[in-house]
Short mmCIF file of all heavy atoms in Angstrom, two decimals:
data_model
loop_
_atom_site.label_atom_id
_atom_site.label_comp_id
_atom_site.label_asym_id
_atom_site.label_seq_id
_atom_site.Cartn_x
_atom_site.Cartn_y
_atom_site.Cartn_z
N LEU Y 73 -14.42 235.39 103.82
CA LEU Y 73 -13.82 235.19 105.13
C LEU Y 73 -14.95 234.54 105.98
O LEU Y 73 -16.11 234.87 105.99
CB LEU Y 73 -13.45 236.44 105.93
CG LEU Y 73 -13.15 236.40 107.34
CD1 LEU Y 73 -11.81 235.82 107.54
CD2 LEU Y 73 -13.12 237.80 107.95
N THR Y 74 -14.58 233.36 106.69
CA THR Y 74 -15.60 232.70 107.48
C THR Y 74 -15.17 232.56 108.86
O THR Y 74 -13.92 232.32 109.20
CB THR Y 74 -15.90 231.30 106.99
OG1 THR Y 74 -16.26 231.41 105.55
CG2 THR Y 74 -16.87 230.53 107.80
N ILE Y 75 -15.97 232.80 109.79
CA ILE Y 75 -15.80 232.67 111.31
C ILE Y 75 -16.75 231.41 111.57
O ILE Y 75 -17.93 231.55 111.69
CB ILE Y 75 -16.13 233.89 112.02
CG1 ILE Y 75 -15.40 235.20 111.59
CG2 ILE Y 75 -15.71 233.59 113.61
CD1 ILE Y 75 -15.85 236.43 112.17
N SER Y 76 -16.20 230.37 111.89
CA SER Y 76 -16.97 229.13 112.08
C SER Y 76 -17.86 229.12 113.26
O SER Y 76 -18.96 228.66 113.28
CB SER Y 76 -15.99 227.83 112.16
OG SER Y 76 -15.10 228.01 113.27
N SER Y 77 -17.48 229.87 114.40
CA SER Y 77 -18.40 229.84 115.61
C SER Y 77 -17.92 231.12 116.28
O SER Y 77 -16.85 231.17 116.94
CB SER Y 77 -17.95 228.63 116.52
OG SER Y 77 -18.71 228.85 117.71
N LEU Y 78 -18.84 232.18 116.06
CA LEU Y 78 -18.51 233.59 116.54
C LEU Y 78 -18.29 233.47 118.09
O LEU Y 78 -19.11 232.98 118.90
CB LEU Y 78 -19.59 234.38 116.14
CG LEU Y 78 -19.43 235.89 116.11
CD1 LEU Y 78 -18.39 236.28 115.13
CD2 LEU Y 78 -20.57 236.70 115.89
N GLN Y 79 -17.26 234.18 118.47
CA GLN Y 79 -17.11 234.43 119.96
C GLN Y 79 -17.09 235.88 120.25
O GLN Y 79 -17.09 236.69 119.42
CB GLN Y 79 -15.53 233.84 120.24
CG GLN Y 79 -15.28 232.49 119.88
CD GLN Y 79 -16.21 231.57 120.75
OE1 GLN Y 79 -16.30 231.57 121.93
NE2 GLN Y 79 -17.00 230.70 120.11
N PRO Y 80 -17.36 236.18 121.52
CA PRO Y 80 -17.51 237.53 122.04
C PRO Y 80 -16.39 238.44 121.62
O PRO Y 80 -16.73 239.53 121.28
CB PRO Y 80 -17.60 237.42 123.49
CG PRO Y 80 -18.10 235.98 123.82
CD PRO Y 80 -17.44 235.18 122.78
N GLU Y 81 -15.15 238.06 121.47
CA GLU Y 81 -14.23 238.88 121.16
C GLU Y 81 -14.06 239.19 119.64
O GLU Y 81 -13.24 239.88 119.12
CB GLU Y 81 -12.80 238.34 121.65
CG GLU Y 81 -12.42 236.89 121.13
CD GLU Y 81 -12.93 235.82 122.04
OE1 GLU Y 81 -13.92 235.95 122.72
OE2 GLU Y 81 -12.30 234.76 122.12
N ASP Y 82 -14.89 238.51 118.91
CA ASP Y 82 -14.86 238.60 117.44
C ASP Y 82 -15.79 239.72 116.96
O ASP Y 82 -15.77 240.08 115.72
CB ASP Y 82 -15.27 237.36 116.72
CG ASP Y 82 -14.49 236.19 117.11
OD1 ASP Y 82 -13.32 236.44 117.44
OD2 ASP Y 82 -15.04 235.06 117.01
N PHE Y 83 -16.56 240.45 117.81
CA PHE Y 83 -17.42 241.60 117.47
C PHE Y 83 -16.43 242.76 117.15
O PHE Y 83 -15.73 243.30 117.97
CB PHE Y 83 -18.44 241.85 118.52
CG PHE Y 83 -19.39 240.83 118.64
CD1 PHE Y 83 -19.23 239.72 119.54
CD2 PHE Y 83 -20.56 240.64 117.63
CE1 PHE Y 83 -20.27 238.72 119.59
CE2 PHE Y 83 -21.37 239.68 117.78
CZ PHE Y 83 -21.26 238.71 118.67
N ALA Y 84 -16.50 243.08 115.88
CA ALA Y 84 -15.42 244.03 115.36
C ALA Y 84 -15.80 244.38 113.90
O ALA Y 84 -16.81 243.98 113.50
CB ALA Y 84 -14.04 243.39 115.38
N THR Y 85 -14.95 245.21 113.20
CA THR Y 85 -15.15 245.49 111.83
C THR Y 85 -14.04 244.86 111.09
O THR Y 85 -12.85 244.78 111.41
CB THR Y 85 -15.00 247.02 111.51
OG1 THR Y 85 -16.16 247.61 112.32
CG2 THR Y 85 -15.20 247.32 110.04
N TYR Y 86 -14.45 244.15 109.84
CA TYR Y 86 -13.50 243.31 109.16
C TYR Y 86 -13.38 244.03 107.75
O TYR Y 86 -14.47 244.47 107.10
CB TYR Y 86 -14.02 241.85 108.93
CG TYR Y 86 -14.07 241.20 110.30
CD1 TYR Y 86 -15.19 241.39 111.18
CD2 TYR Y 86 -13.11 240.36 110.60
CE1 TYR Y 86 -15.21 240.75 112.40
CE2 TYR Y 86 -13.01 239.68 111.92
CZ TYR Y 86 -14.19 239.90 112.91
OH TYR Y 86 -14.00 239.41 113.98
N TYR Y 87 -12.16 243.95 107.22
CA TYR Y 87 -11.88 244.53 105.87
C TYR Y 87 -11.06 243.54 105.11
O TYR Y 87 -10.20 242.87 105.62
CB TYR Y 87 -11.02 245.85 106.08
CG TYR Y 87 -11.59 246.78 106.82
CD1 TYR Y 87 -11.49 247.06 108.12
CD2 TYR Y 87 -12.31 247.88 106.15
CE1 TYR Y 87 -11.97 248.20 108.82
CE2 TYR Y 87 -12.81 248.96 106.66
CZ TYR Y 87 -12.62 249.08 108.10
OH TYR Y 87 -13.30 250.23 108.83
N CYS Y 88 -11.46 243.47 103.76
CA CYS Y 88 -10.51 242.75 102.88
C CYS Y 88 -9.60 243.83 102.28
O CYS Y 88 -9.83 245.05 102.24
CB CYS Y 88 -11.31 242.08 101.81
SG CYS Y 88 -12.21 243.22 100.65
N LEU Y 89 -8.36 243.30 101.93
CA LEU Y 89 -7.31 244.26 101.40
C LEU Y 89 -6.65 243.55 100.25
O LEU Y 89 -6.13 242.46 100.40
CB LEU Y 89 -6.34 244.53 102.48
CG LEU Y 89 -4.96 245.23 101.93
CD1 LEU Y 89 -5.27 246.59 101.33
CD2 LEU Y 89 -3.99 245.43 103.16
N GLN Y 90 -6.75 244.18 99.09
CA GLN Y 90 -6.07 243.66 97.85
C GLN Y 90 -4.80 244.43 97.67
O GLN Y 90 -4.81 245.64 97.88
CB GLN Y 90 -7.00 243.86 96.56
CG GLN Y 90 -6.44 243.36 95.28
CD GLN Y 90 -5.52 244.36 94.55
OE1 GLN Y 90 -5.73 245.51 94.73
NE2 GLN Y 90 -4.60 243.91 93.83
N HIS Y 91 -3.67 243.83 97.35
CA HIS Y 91 -2.42 244.40 97.25
C HIS Y 91 -1.77 244.15 95.90
O HIS Y 91 -1.78 242.97 95.41
CB HIS Y 91 -1.54 244.05 98.39
CG HIS Y 91 -1.32 242.51 98.59
ND1 HIS Y 91 -0.33 241.83 97.93
CD2 HIS Y 91 -1.97 241.65 99.38
CE1 HIS Y 91 -0.32 240.54 98.27
NE2 HIS Y 91 -1.30 240.38 99.12
N ASN Y 92 -1.13 245.12 95.34
CA ASN Y 92 -0.30 245.01 94.21
C ASN Y 92 1.06 245.28 94.49
O ASN Y 92 1.42 246.14 95.47
CB ASN Y 92 -0.70 246.02 93.11
CG ASN Y 92 -1.97 245.68 92.37
OD1 ASN Y 92 -2.14 244.42 92.16
ND2 ASN Y 92 -2.69 246.65 91.90
#
Side-chain angles (χ1 to χ4, degrees):
Chain Y
L73 173 70
T74 299
I75 309 172
S76 59
S77 177
L78 198 65
Q79 297 302 300
E81 60 268 31
D82 301 337
F83 292 96
T85 301
Y86 294 83
Y87 295 90
C88 63
L89 167 58
Q90 181 273 331
H91 56 89
N92 283 330

